[in-house]
Amino acid sequence: MIKIGRLNLGNAPRVAAVITDDKNGQSLKNAIKQGADLLELRIDFFKGIEPENLSKTVRKIKQSRLPLIATVRSKTEGGKKSLTDRQRKEIFQHIIPIVDAVDIELSSKNIIKDIVGSAKKQNKKVIVSYHNFKETPSDGKLNKIIKDSKKAGADIIKLAAMARNMQDILRLANLTLKHKNLITLSMGSMAKISRVIFPIFGSLITYGEVGVSTASGQMPLNILKKELELYK
Amino acid sequence: MIKIGRLNLGNAPRVAAVITDDKNGQSLKNAIKQGADLLELRIDFFKGIEPENLSKTVRKIKQSRLPLIATVRSKTEGGKKSLTDRQRKEIFQHIIPIVDAVDIELSSKNIIKDIVGSAKKQNKKVIVSYHNFKETPSDGKLNKIIKDSKKAGADIIKLAAMARNMQDILRLANLTLKHKNLITLSMGSMAKISRVIFPIFGSLITYGEVGVSTASGQMPLNILKKELELYK
């Protein structure tokens, strides 16, 4: 069974809270209160990304003892800040020693090798991610992305794709059932249900809001927890 | 668009309350209070099935002005009472003039032709149903059931099948998306989610409990309504 920090993945849906460095640590407080299983640090949403500032923030978050995933989403895949590859790489290198996993885009060709290498060397888990805000690619293309992500060193592969119709949601559900070690989610107006059903079909992690919304179709974490409880 | 009584089906998920002739009409009261769109009379669960008794009960229920589906489920497909074909036929013939639709099993070979004929003559809708408490048949078999049901005169085809794994649920979801005028539901421990997602994939009616549970995976109607609202 795969783990992030001390958290086992795969035997039950796990709910990650999406966290920023907001004032008074409100999103962190909400995450703890609402029972998040782990935290995704969306560093591209952080106000303070200078090394000293960042360390201080993450050390504070670490006191929650929840496993941490560090994400510095690239602008092209939905990131908030425009950061150069060099900036992103520096942030990752700085943060890897103090988190449990990194999430890096398959499309971050210039830096993925170094980031994956550093993470592996330090025994941190690697999530290789793919985001498509326009459509859900064909099954053939999705399978190719999975294969390429494994080749790039992924322990876990995350696929997030816009659903243009209900068939798109079914296709991604089917893929989730067929493969191991996937995180899947559909985006868009019809996609809210995917946050609950994909974990039931085997998606390792589902992401809930605790203050900042980072993707369409995302639900408040406390509601997401209740829904998973209802259908378990 | 297909209708049962004055209720349009297909533009939004419709929630039917499963009703019996319980004491004080409690299930009917619950159905109205919780916002049922229509009622399924499970006459095989009724205590009083003699013609006079039955007419009296159904006329009372009719005061709710909700569209009515009459079901006299055969024992082999999950009915409560053991009734002969002749008894079931008499109940149907007696009840057809005062309801809006009948639900009869494709497997009720001795009486289906007469019941469908009577219903059509009186401008009532015909639901031809199939229940499998062991498994979800192959796609080929399910398509054959749909074809045979249409041939038997179905306006709407209802498929209820035991889900032995999540793949079974996905297959039935896929079928729901492909065909028109279906009611689909999965049964079993993992199947509760089907009550909410199949309507999203196009299943015309989903059934909620308002006092008596008649199938595994069924949810209380008020919760079902809330869930459909959350994901609409």
Side-chain angles (χ1 to χ4, degrees):
Chain A
M1 191 169 295
I2 198 160
K3 282 184 176 201
I4 292 185
R6 291 163 307 154
L7 185 72
N8 283 319
L9 304 178
N11 51 350
R14 300 301 183 185
V15 182
V18 183
I19 296 286
T20 64
D21 62 345
D22 54 355
K23 240 184 168 178
N24 309 319
Q26 195 55 51
S27 60
L28 175 63
K29 282 178 198 161
N30 293 344
I32 294 168
K33 199 173 148 191
Q34 296 178 17
D37 297 308
L38 70 169
L39 304 175
E40 180 193 44
L41 312 178
R42 276 296 295 266
I43 298 171
D44 54 297
F45 272 80
F46 278 27
K47 278 174 217 90
I49 53 163
E50 314 73 33
E52 222 171 284
N53 229 323
L54 197 55
S55 299
K56 206 177 140 194
T57 305
V58 178
R59 289 233 158 72
K60 220 178 204 170
I61 293 172
K62 220 171 149 68
Q63 289 175 8
S64 70
R65 295 177 159 262
L66 289 170
L68 305 183
I69 302 168
T71 306
V72 195
R73 190 65 70 229
S74 70
K75 188 85 182 169
T76 52
E77 296 218 10
K80 191 165 190 201
K81 272 198 168 74
S82 269
L83 298 166
T84 63
D85 281 343
R86 189 180 168 149
Q87 281 176 305
R88 294 178 62 226
K89 188 170 152 183
E90 278 172 8
I91 292 171
F92 270 120
Q93 299 292 23
H94 184 74
I95 209 85
I96 286 172
I98 46 175
V99 298
D100 302 289
V102 293
D103 172 334
I104 184 158
E105 307 76 23
L106 181 62
S107 66
S108 291
K109 303 224 179 288
N110 294 328
I111 59 168
I112 189 168
K113 203 173 166 184
D114 285 350
I115 305 307
V116 171
S118 293
K120 299 255 173 195
K121 212 177 287 171
Q122 296 174 69
N123 274 318
K124 310 296 170 135
K125 289 297 182 327
V126 173
I127 301 172
V128 174
S129 60
Y130 169 83
H131 303 78
N132 189 323
F133 297 93
K134 276 194 187 155
E135 58 169 8
T136 302
S138 68
D139 290 355
K141 178 141 191 220
L142 288 171
N143 279 310
K144 171 88 163 63
I145 291 162
I146 292 172
K147 209 174 137 188
D148 290 349
S149 300
K150 278 183 192 163
K151 217 183 282 174
D155 298 302
I156 297 169
I157 298 148
K158 180 181 177 190
L159 304 170
M162 179 63 63
R164 297 207 284 200
N165 50 51
M166 296 306 289
Q167 188 63 48
D168 284 343
I169 293 177
L170 270 193
R171 283 200 296 113
L172 206 47
N174 207 43
L175 202 84
T176 308
L177 204 56
K178 273 187 187 151
H179 292 269
K180 280 204 169 160
N181 297 339
L182 289 194
I183 298 169
T184 51
L185 52 101
S186 286
M187 297 183 286
S189 60
M190 299 169 292
K192 204 192 266 180
I193 191 85
S194 78
R195 304 283 173 160
V196 176
I197 63 169
F198 288 2
I200 298 175
F201 288 111
S203 175
L204 298 179
I205 297 173
T206 182
Y207 298 78
E209 278 175 37
V210 287
V212 59
S213 176
T214 55
S216 73
Q218 215 170 62
M219 295 163 77
L221 190 132
N222 55 345
I223 293 180
L224 190 52
K225 292 269 293 186
K226 257 192 240 167
E227 291 299 293
L228 289 168
E229 185 64 25
L230 180 61
Y231 295 110
K232 79 172 181 191
Chain B
M1 192 169 296
I2 198 159
K3 280 184 178 201
I4 291 185
R6 291 163 306 153
L7 185 71
N8 283 319
L9 304 177
N11 51 349
R14 299 302 183 185
V15 182
V18 183
I19 295 286
T20 64
D21 63 344
D22 55 354
K23 242 184 166 178
N24 310 318
Q26 195 55 50
S27 61
L28 176 62
K29 281 178 198 161
N30 292 345
I32 295 168
K33 199 174 149 192
Q34 295 178 17
D37 298 308
L38 72 169
L39 304 175
E40 180 192 42
L41 312 177
R42 275 296 295 265
I43 297 172
D44 55 297
F45 271 79
F46 278 27
K47 279 176 214 86
I49 54 162
E50 313 74 31
E52 223 171 279
N53 228 325
L54 196 56
S55 298
K56 207 177 138 193
T57 306
V58 178
R59 289 232 158 73
K60 219 177 205 172
I61 292 171
K62 223 172 146 67
Q63 289 174 9
S64 70
R65 296 176 160 263
L66 290 171
L68 304 183
I69 303 168
T71 307
V72 195
R73 189 65 70 229
S74 70
K75 188 84 181 168
T76 51
E77 296 217 11
K80 189 166 191 198
K81 272 197 168 70
S82 268
L83 297 165
T84 64
D85 280 344
R86 190 181 166 148
Q87 281 176 306
R88 294 178 62 224
K89 188 169 152 182
E90 278 172 10
I91 292 171
F92 270 121
Q93 298 292 21
H94 184 74
I95 210 84
I96 287 172
I98 46 175
V99 297
D100 303 289
V102 293
D103 172 334
I104 184 159
E105 307 76 22
L106 181 62
S107 66
S108 292
K109 303 224 178 290
N110 295 327
I111 61 168
I112 189 169
K113 202 172 166 185
D114 286 352
I115 305 307
V116 171
S118 293
K120 299 254 173 196
K121 213 177 285 167
Q122 296 173 70
N123 275 317
K124 310 296 168 130
K125 287 300 182 324
V126 173
I127 301 171
V128 174
S129 60
Y130 169 83
H131 303 78
N132 190 323
F133 297 93
K134 274 196 191 154
E135 57 169 7
T136 302
S138 68
D139 290 356
K141 178 139 192 226
L142 288 170
N143 280 310
K144 171 88 164 60
I145 292 162
I146 292 172
K147 209 174 137 189
D148 290 349
S149 299
K150 278 184 192 163
K151 217 184 279 174
D155 299 304
I156 296 168
I157 298 148
K158 180 182 177 188
L159 304 171
M162 179 63 64
R164 298 208 285 200
N165 50 51
M166 295 306 290
Q167 187 63 46
D168 284 343
I169 294 177
L170 269 192
R171 283 200 297 113
L172 205 47
N174 206 43
L175 202 84
T176 308
L177 204 56
K178 273 187 186 151
H179 292 268
K180 278 201 170 162
N181 297 339
L182 289 195
I183 297 169
T184 50
L185 53 102
S186 287
M187 296 183 286
S189 61
M190 298 169 293
K192 202 192 265 180
I193 192 85
S194 78
R195 306 282 174 162
V196 176
I197 63 168
F198 288 4
I200 299 175
F201 287 113
S203 174
L204 298 179
I205 297 172
T206 182
Y207 298 78
E209 279 175 37
V210 287
V212 59
S213 176
T214 56
S216 74
Q218 216 168 63
M219 295 163 78
L221 190 133
N222 55 346
I223 292 179
L224 190 51
K225 292 269 293 186
K226 255 192 243 167
E227 290 299 294
L228 289 167
E229 185 62 27
L230 180 61
Y231 296 110
K232 78 172 182 191

